[in-house]
Amino acid sequence: MISRRDFLQVSMAASALYGASGFGNWARLAAQQSLTQDQLLEFETFGNISLIHVTDIHAQLKPIFFREPEVNLGIGNAQGQMPHVTGAAFRKAYGIEDGSPSAYALTYNDFSALAQAYGRVGGLDRVSTVINAIRADRPDALLLDGGDTWHGSYTCYQTAGQDMVNVMNALKPDAMTFHWEFTLGSERVNEIVEGLPFASLGQNVFDAEWDEPAELFKPYKFFERGGAKVAVIGQAFPYMPIANPSWMFPEYSFGIRDENMQAMVDEVRDAGADVVVVLSHNGFDVDKKMAGRVRGIDVILSGHTHDALPEPVLVGKTHIIASGSNGKFVSRVDLDVRDGQMMGLKHKLIPIFSDVIAPDPVITALIDEQRAPYEAALSEVIGKTDSLLYRRGNFNGTWDDLICDALLSEREADIAMSPGVRWGPSILPGQEITREDIWNVTSMTYPNAYRTEMTGEFIHIILEDVGDNLFNPDPYYQQGGDMVRVGGLGYRIDVTKPQGQRITDMTLLKTGEAIDPAKTYVVAGWASVNAGTEGPPIWDVVESHIRNQGTVTVAPNTSVEVIGA
C-alpha cells in the first residue's frame, strides 16, 4: 500500500508543481500571473483505474467565493485529527505557505484579501473542463457524485432540481448517492431517479414499511475498468428522518447499516470485485468509524461534511478521500489494481480556480439556458455588505448572524434560531447582495419562518439536543450539521460534558438577564422539520431586512463562550 512519504508527495501534487515546498512554488507562480490550467491539471498517471469525485455541489452552477471554516472541533478520538484542524495549523500540517493559492483554497485566514487576488472558484463549466482533461488521459475514468447536488439555489428550487439534473447529466457521471435530494419529496426524487442515465446507489436506503432494500436505489454497481472489476457501493446520508423532514419521504428509511454494508462488501468480493469503492454521504468522522468496522473497503469517497483534504486519510487499509463542496474542488484518484487487490493509490485534490481553468463552452451554454428564464430575478440587487458574509464554523457564521438579525427584527422576536447548515457561498466586503445570493444560503423546500413562544427550559433542551448531535464523542451519534445559530441569546458550552450538561449561562442579550427556565420568550426561526409550519419563507424575511438596512454590517459575534475545545 502507499506509504506516508508517498502520500506527502501526492499531496504536493495538489499544488500542481513539485519540489521541496511545492505549495510555495505554486504561490510564486500565481503571484507572477503565470499559473496555468496545465499546471493545475498536471498529474503523473498511475496504475490502471481512475476515479473522479465531486460532492456537495449544492446547485452552484456558476463560480463563487467560498470560505473554509475557522472552527471545526474534533471531539473524543477526533480531537486534533483531520479534518478537525483549520487555519495556520492546517497549513503547517501540509506545508502550505501563507498567502498562497493553497492557503486561499484550503483555509480561512485573510480570505477577503486573497479572494481579491485569486478570484472565484468553482463553476460546473470549469469542473467539466477538468473532468474532460482527466478523461482525455484516462478515457474510462469513473465519475462519481457524492450527493447534495439537486439542492441549494434559486434555479434549483424553481425547477425542482431539473437545472442540476440537466447539467450533471451532460457531465456523464457513472453513479451518485443522496442526501438533500430527498427534500424535493419522494415523488419528485423517484421521478428523477427513474430517468437518470447512470446508477443511483444507496445500500442503506430501505423501504420503511417492509424494512427491505428499496428497489429504486441499488446497493452497488460493477464497472470493468483497466482490466479489473470495480465495485462501487452507495451510502446515502444515514440520518435523513432526523436532520430533515421525514414526512417528505415517508416510504424510505436510512441508517448507517454497518452489517448490511459488510454483507454488500462480502457479496461484491464473492462476485469477483478486485477493488471496492464506497461512494459515501456519511460525513468524514462517520466514514472513519465505518472504515474501522467494515472489512474489505479499499476507498471511501467522503461527502456531507464539506471537508477538503489534500491528502487521503488511512484507516486500516481503507483510504478516505475528502473533496470539498460547492464545486470548489475535483478529486482525481488513480488506483493500481492487480491480482485481485489494490496495490497502490495516488490522489490529487484539484482546486477549481475559475480565472485559470477555461470553461467548457458546451456546459456554459447549457448553464446559461437553465438560468435564462430567471436572470432578472437572480440579478436584482437587494443591498450591499460592508462585512464578509460567510457560512461554516461550529457555532456561527456571518451569513447566519445576518439571518438571525433579520428574524429578530422582521418577526419581532426576543430570540432567533437558524439551522447550522454548511452550504452557501461567501460574499466579500463591498459587494452588492443580489436575490441569488440570499437564495444561495436559504433555498430549501421547507423555508417557513415561524414565530412562536418557548420557555427558557425548552430553549435549553433544544440547545442540548443539537449540541449532542455535534459533540457526542461517538461519530455514529453525530447526526449532521453544525450548532444551531442563535440571535438575541448568549450561552456557554462545554463540549467535553455529556448531554444535558453542556449548555449553561444562557442570557437574553437585549436585557442582559439570565434566561428563566419558567419564563416564556418569543422565538423566531426557520427550517422546522415539523409538517404544517406556518410563516413567510425565510428568503423574503432576509430580503426585507436587507432592503431596510441598505448596507449591512455584521458585528463580531461573541455571544457563545466555548469551553473544552
Side-chain angles (χ1 to χ4, degrees):
M1 304 302 290
I2 193 167
S3 67
R4 164 75 179 176
R5 178 176 177 274
D6 290 333
F7 269 146
L8 288 174
Q9 289 175 345
V10 171
S11 76
M12 291 298 182
S15 70
L17 293 174
Y18 299 88
S21 61
F23 294 102
N25 290 337
W26 184 16
R28 286 192 291 274
L29 281 170
Q32 297 165 7
Q33 297 186 334
S34 57
L35 179 64
T36 69
Q37 177 175 302
D38 287 343
Q39 290 163 341
L40 283 176
L41 298 178
E42 184 180 6
F43 188 79
E44 185 176 346
T45 305
F46 177 77
N48 54 329
I49 296 168
S50 291
L51 312 176
I52 307 170
H53 184 225
V54 294
T55 191
D56 296 277
I57 295 169
H58 284 288
Q60 295 305 311
L61 293 169
K62 304 287 277 187
I64 58 167
F65 295 108
F66 188 84
R67 178 188 185 266
E68 296 299 320
E70 182 174 347
V71 180
N72 184 4
L73 300 180
I75 302 301
N77 293 335
Q79 186 172 13
Q81 302 297 310
M82 294 297 172
H84 303 288
V85 177
T86 64
F90 187 99
R91 295 195 298 277
K92 181 178 180 181
Y94 292 112
I96 299 174
E97 188 172 306
D98 291 355
S100 68
S102 289
Y104 169 55
L106 292 164
T107 60
Y108 68 90
N109 306 88
D110 303 318
F111 179 81
S112 296
L114 294 177
Q116 296 286 356
Y118 297 120
R120 286 178 167 84
V121 295
L124 289 192
D125 49 1
R126 276 80 166 176
V127 168
S128 179
T129 296
V130 173
I131 291 169
N132 291 340
I134 297 171
R135 285 172 168 159
D137 181 45
R138 181 69 60 71
D140 62 354
L142 287 172
L143 174 58
L144 303 173
D145 176 3
D148 276 3
T149 306
W150 318 331
H151 161 270
S153 74
Y154 184 96
T155 56
C156 191
Y157 180 91
Q158 300 297 334
T159 64
Q162 195 63 49
D163 65 329
M164 288 303 299
V165 172
N166 294 342
V167 174
M168 291 303 293
N169 283 356
L171 299 184
K172 299 180 180 179
D174 294 283
M176 75 175 291
T177 194
F178 304 89
H179 172 200
W180 275 94
E181 287 79 7
F182 279 97
T183 65
L184 291 172
S186 53
E187 182 177 348
R188 175 61 174 152
V189 171
N190 295 348
E191 177 188 14
I192 295 175
V193 168
E194 287 170 355
L196 289 179
F198 52 85
S200 301
L201 302 179
Q203 71 83 23
N204 60 331
V205 184
F206 273 49
D207 181 287
E209 182 177 0
W210 299 103
D211 196 33
E212 295 176 347
E215 292 185 5
L216 194 59
F217 300 91
K218 302 304 180 185
Y220 57 80
K221 184 172 181 178
F222 281 107
F223 300 91
E224 298 284 346
R225 294 292 189 274
K229 199 170 184 179
V230 182
V232 178
I233 303 175
Q235 176 78 359
F237 181 56
Y239 303 113
M240 285 296 307
I242 299 171
N244 304 98
S246 59
W247 54 269
M248 290 184 163
F249 37 87
E251 65 267 52
Y252 293 117
S253 66
F254 300 86
I256 296 171
R257 300 188 187 269
D258 274 348
E259 291 183 2
N260 196 64
M261 176 64 81
Q262 185 66 70
M264 294 301 98
V265 173
D266 294 344
E267 186 172 308
V268 298
R269 290 289 187 187
D270 290 344
D274 299 299
V275 62
V276 176
V277 177
V278 171
L279 180 60
S280 172
H281 206 90
N282 275 336
F284 201 88
D285 287 344
V286 177
D287 282 328
K288 286 175 67 177
K289 181 169 179 176
M290 174 177 280
R293 290 167 62 95
V294 178
R295 304 176 311 280
I297 301 172
D298 295 299
V299 178
I300 297 178
L301 302 174
S302 187
H304 177 59
T305 39
H306 292 197
D307 309 298
L309 297 179
E311 177 182 320
V313 169
L314 189 62
V315 177
K317 295 182 179 181
T318 302
H319 303 74
I320 308 177
I321 308 292
S323 305
S325 68
N326 288 264
K328 187 177 177 181
F329 299 96
V330 172
S331 280
R332 175 175 178 173
V333 186
D334 278 18
L335 310 176
D336 180 14
V337 179
R338 289 177 279 130
D339 302 323
Q341 61 180 320
M342 193 175 81
M343 309 299 291
L345 175 152
K346 277 194 174 182
H347 160 257
K348 179 175 180 178
L349 182 68
I350 303 169
I352 309 301
F353 283 96
S354 305
D355 293 337
V356 177
I357 297 174
D360 176 346
V362 173
I363 303 301
T364 301
L366 181 58
I367 290 170
D368 291 345
E369 180 184 334
Q370 312 308 307
R371 291 168 57 86
Y374 311 101
E375 199 60 55
L378 290 167
S379 60
E380 183 175 345
V381 175
I382 309 303
K384 186 178 179 180
T385 180
D386 280 343
S387 303
L388 171 63
L389 299 180
Y390 62 89
R391 176 173 274 162
R392 283 306 313 272
N394 289 150
F395 299 100
N396 78 291
T398 49
W399 256 125
D400 293 307
D401 292 339
L402 178 57
I403 291 170
C404 285
D405 288 345
L407 287 165
L408 290 172
S409 62
E410 297 293 317
R411 302 293 281 155
E412 298 180 343
D414 300 316
I415 294 168
M417 293 185 178
S418 187
V421 294
R422 298 184 178 94
W423 42 271
S426 307
I427 306 295
L428 302 185
Q431 272 192 265
E432 294 176 330
I433 303 172
T434 65
R435 179 170 291 113
E436 180 172 21
D437 295 327
I438 295 171
W439 278 70
N440 278 344
V441 293
T442 59
S443 179
M444 62 168 63
T445 53
Y446 47 106
N448 302 80
Y450 60 82
R451 184 179 187 273
T452 189
E453 292 185 349
M454 297 182 185
T455 64
E457 180 183 21
F458 189 64
I459 294 169
H460 183 261
I461 289 172
I462 291 174
L463 295 180
E464 287 283 1
D465 283 350
V466 179
D468 197 59
N469 287 344
L470 185 60
F471 299 116
N472 192 300
D474 185 343
Y476 279 16
Y477 289 91
Q478 296 171 9
Q479 297 162 352
D482 283 315
M483 190 65 184
V484 60
R485 280 68 166 108
V486 294
L489 175 71
Y491 64 90
R492 175 183 292 184
I493 178 169
D494 187 335
V495 298
T496 67
K497 298 288 187 182
Q499 184 174 6
Q501 300 177 30
R502 292 188 180 98
I503 307 295
T504 58
D505 300 329
M506 293 167 53
T507 304
L508 187 65
L509 295 182
K510 67 181 181 181
T511 65
E513 297 176 350
I515 295 291
D516 184 341
K519 187 175 178 179
T520 297
Y521 301 88
V522 176
V523 178
W526 65 290
S528 170
V529 299
N530 297 320
T533 300
E534 296 182 354
I538 186 62
W539 46 77
D540 285 351
V541 174
V542 175
E543 180 172 320
S544 177
H545 177 73
I546 292 174
R547 284 191 187 279
N548 290 336
Q549 296 291 311
T551 298
V552 299
T553 301
V554 181
N557 189 332
T558 59
S559 61
V560 179
E561 181 183 358
V562 182
I563 307 297

